[in-house]
Amino acid sequence: MVKKFKKTFNIGFNSILLAFGLYFFLVQHKIAPGGVTGISLIMANLFTILTVGQWSLLLNITLFILAFFLMGKDFGKKTVLSATIISLAIMFFEKYFPNTILSNDMIINIVFGAGIESYALSCIFFNDASSGGTDIVAAIFNKYFRISLAKSLFAIDFLVVMLAIKEFGIEVALYAVLCVVIQSFGFNYFIQGLGRKIAITVISDFSNEINQMILGKYKRGVTLYKAEGGYSHKKRDIILTVVPFRKYISIKDDILKIDKNAFVFTHSISEVLGEGFTYGVFE
């Protein structure tokens, strides 16, 4: 129950953060960053009867109805939450901060807008949701036409940029292209960072004591490898455990307290699946 609440809270918070980055750094400067927000910005400029946030909400509702019939009723329940919050948050910013400009420097707006958006989106994905919008279109194309998600999303973003050239001019559209590129690199960086853990390997004559310490004090899973020294031919256990980065220093210190001559080496892991991490006993 607590884990479900934390996921829902993270989805909601990062959806608002995503809307903040989109509105204050991109939408306010007519930069169409692809996706539903980019389409909504163009539509709001063409048909002023609705604002960007209202167009976003209308388009997302339409896409979710389409997904319901084409993808099934269980498709993306958490995505509905995220997409709705993003649209409502943009509408809130439009109403209460209509003329707020944080910076007139386009490079600053591109970097911060794309950076905040990619970070928030990676957090939303990390909590098993998405921001909806063109993700739904890509999923439909993937299911019915066997077009990959990456190709579908690229084609949609490319189409949005082409429309932006006509509506806002080539210079602003080029800023939008730069924004999409930064978003892509930023998303990949952040999504790997959020799942990143550290693997600790320990070779020691006190492997039993170190094993008990990791299991008892830190509640982390441990794997023991049977090994033999290449020179001494002495048999011993090699300890392997995978932990969050924040726990590494304290575990390392405790290992060295047990055996100051322990041979310890580590390496980073971008993602871990399984007991203790994604559906764990130890979390």
Side-chain angles (χ1 to χ4, degrees), residues 2-37:
V2 174
K3 190 174 182 180
K4 184 177 181 181
F5 172 79
K6 284 174 66 177
K7 278 197 171 189
T8 303
F9 175 82
N10 284 328
I11 292 169
F13 175 81
N14 285 289
S15 296
I16 294 173
L17 181 63
L18 177 59
F20 175 87
L22 282 170
Y23 179 76
F24 287 104
F25 294 104
L26 302 178
V27 171
Q28 287 287 66
H29 300 279
K30 306 297 183 184
I31 299 171
V36 163
T37 304

Side-chain angles (χ1 to χ4, degrees), residues 142-208:
N142 178 255
K143 180 177 180 179
Y144 289 96
F145 303 104
R146 296 293 185 268
I147 301 174
S148 72
L149 295 175
K151 288 181 180 179
S152 298
L153 289 171
F154 176 81
I156 294 166
D157 287 341
F158 181 79
L159 178 61
V160 173
V161 170
M162 291 299 101
L163 293 172
I165 291 176
K166 182 177 183 301
E167 198 60 33
F168 303 120
I170 184 79
E171 184 177 349
V172 176
L174 289 174
Y175 279 121
V177 172
L178 180 59
C179 182
V180 171
V181 172
I182 294 175
Q183 284 173 6
S184 178
F185 281 102
F187 178 79
N188 289 331
Y189 174 81
F190 287 125
I191 198 67
Q192 288 185 4
L194 289 168
R196 192 170 292 143
K197 301 292 185 295
I198 188 166
I200 306 172
T201 303
V202 185
I203 302 175
S204 170
D205 290 330
F206 298 87
S207 57
N208 185 57

Side-chain angles (χ1 to χ4, degrees), residues 12-224:
F13 175 81
N14 285 289
S15 296
I16 294 173
L17 181 63
L18 177 59
F20 175 87
L22 282 170
Y23 179 76
F24 287 104
F25 294 104
L26 302 178
V27 171
Q28 287 287 66
H29 300 279
K30 306 297 183 184
I31 299 171
V36 163
T37 304
I39 297 170
S40 299
L41 179 59
I42 295 169
M43 295 296 287
N45 199 66
L46 287 171
F47 308 102
T48 56
I49 187 171
L50 297 177
T51 66
V52 175
Q54 290 168 339
W55 274 113
S56 176
L57 185 61
L58 178 62
L59 289 172
N60 274 315
I61 290 172
T62 303
L63 288 171
F64 280 122
I65 293 173
L66 190 64
F68 179 82
F69 287 106
L70 296 179
M71 303 293 289
K73 64 180 180 180
D74 293 327
F75 177 80
K77 293 178 182 178
K78 293 177 183 176
T79 300
V80 174
L81 172 66
S82 178
T84 303
I85 291 175
I86 292 170
S87 299
L88 292 177
I90 291 175
M91 290 166 62
F92 174 84
F93 293 140
E94 286 174 330
K95 182 175 181 179
Y96 293 101
F97 304 95
N99 300 310
T100 302
I101 302 295
L102 299 183
S103 173
N104 287 311
D105 188 309
M106 292 298 279
I107 297 300
I108 289 177
N109 287 314
I110 290 294
V111 171
F112 275 86
I116 291 172
E117 184 182 0
S118 58
Y119 171 76
L121 188 58
S122 65
C123 289
I124 292 169
F125 269 74
F126 194 72
N127 286 281
D128 305 321
S130 80
S131 60
T134 50
D135 294 345
I136 295 173
V137 178
I140 293 172
F141 282 176
N142 178 255
K143 180 177 180 179
Y144 289 96
F145 303 104
R146 296 293 185 268
I147 301 174
S148 72
L149 295 175
K151 288 181 180 179
S152 298
L153 289 171
F154 176 81
I156 294 166
D157 287 341
F158 181 79
L159 178 61
V160 173
V161 170
M162 291 299 101
L163 293 172
I165 291 176
K166 182 177 183 301
E167 198 60 33
F168 303 120
I170 184 79
E171 184 177 349
V172 176
L174 289 174
Y175 279 121
V177 172
L178 180 59
C179 182
V180 171
V181 172
I182 294 175
Q183 284 173 6
S184 178
F185 281 102
F187 178 79
N188 289 331
Y189 174 81
F190 287 125
I191 198 67
Q192 288 185 4
L194 289 168
R196 192 170 292 143
K197 301 292 185 295
I198 188 166
I200 306 172
T201 303
V202 185
I203 302 175
S204 170
D205 290 330
F206 298 87
S207 57
N208 185 57
E209 291 87 342
I210 294 171
N211 177 41
Q212 293 303 318
M213 179 270 294
I214 295 172
L215 289 170
K217 183 175 180 179
Y218 293 98
K219 309 299 183 188
R220 308 310 306 180
V222 177
T223 298
L224 299 177

